[in-house]
Amino acid sequence: MKIYRVNAVIVRHMYESRRNFDRVVDMIWWPVLDIIMWGFFTVYLAHSNRLQPTVVSSLLGAIILWGTFYSFQRDMAVGFIDELWCRNLINLFSTPLTLAEYMAGLLTVCLLKVMVGLLAASAIAWAAYSFDIVPWLPKFIPYMANLLFFALALGIAITGMIVRYTTKVQALAWGFAGLLMPVSCVMYPMSSLPKWLQDIAWLMPTAHSFEGMREVLAGKGFSPQHFWWGAGLNVVYFAMAIVFFLWIFEKARSRGLLVKQE
């Protein structure tokens, strides 16, 4: 792997982000809008004496972490879709650039974008609703790592689907995470789900991350159980995503589909 090639991918996407207002909207506007909307909702419930302060903090913290997960998963897939929209895929892979170098550059860009969105959402939560996530971050970081790891696995798998079926399935980049939200227990504890949905939720690294976050905010401390469950599931899902992507990429290349991408 050549670092200068990875840097070239990073520069390409940074230039595109700087000159494309849609990317600014995705990176900053939507995380901030989510915090504002859900923040007003939690203020309303708090003033109505329907929520305890710890529950309000849990909701705001959950929105920030979910926005981080969703943005990372979306940007991984959309970064590849950009190459299809620009008809740039054949140009990239006709050079010495390897698939690993391209994915490493794209991963770095997505991490930078997620950090910008996280900082913007956290700043609004602190300024508007007096929720400061910074003191909680040391205990949140393991759960955030699990969220990003799972988002990476999903992004790779969805990118593989786009390699095979092109922009016909591009809606997966924006919509797939939403399908997982009900069993990810973002706003509510896992115990509130029906038993059959709880069984599904136990297989979601996202659910374990949000359960762990709620335990931290409730003063119960770090939960090794939820962290290691999430980490173990992530290893399985990540391995499956890599195998799937490499298989479908090689299949597309051997059939000449990479030069026919639209």
Side-chain angles (χ1 to χ4, degrees), residues 45-63:
L45 293 178
H47 287 172
S48 303
N49 296 320
R50 299 177 186 179
L51 284 182
Q52 297 296 322
T54 55
V55 179
V56 173
S57 297
S58 294
L59 288 174
L60 290 174
I63 289 300

Side-chain angles (χ1 to χ4, degrees), residues 136-166:
W136 304 102
L137 277 180
K139 293 182 179 180
F140 280 0
I141 285 176
Y143 303 122
M144 293 175 66
N146 270 345
L147 284 175
L148 293 180
F149 199 16
F150 187 48
L152 175 61
L154 285 180
I156 291 173
I158 292 171
T159 301
M161 294 291 293
I162 295 168
V163 168
R164 177 61 181 86
Y165 298 105
T166 69

Side-chain angles (χ1 to χ4, degrees), residues 172-216:
L172 290 174
W174 291 273
F176 192 79
L179 297 176
L180 302 181
M181 196 173 185
V183 290
S184 293
C185 305
V186 180
M187 304 293 183
Y188 42 78
M190 197 182 298
S191 58
S192 64
L193 294 175
K195 180 63 172 65
W196 65 276
L197 277 180
Q198 289 184 34
D199 294 337
I200 297 175
W202 270 98
L203 299 177
M204 295 289 104
T206 45
H208 291 287
S209 292
F210 288 108
E211 286 289 289
M213 180 209 69
R214 276 186 285 271
E215 291 193 11
V216 169

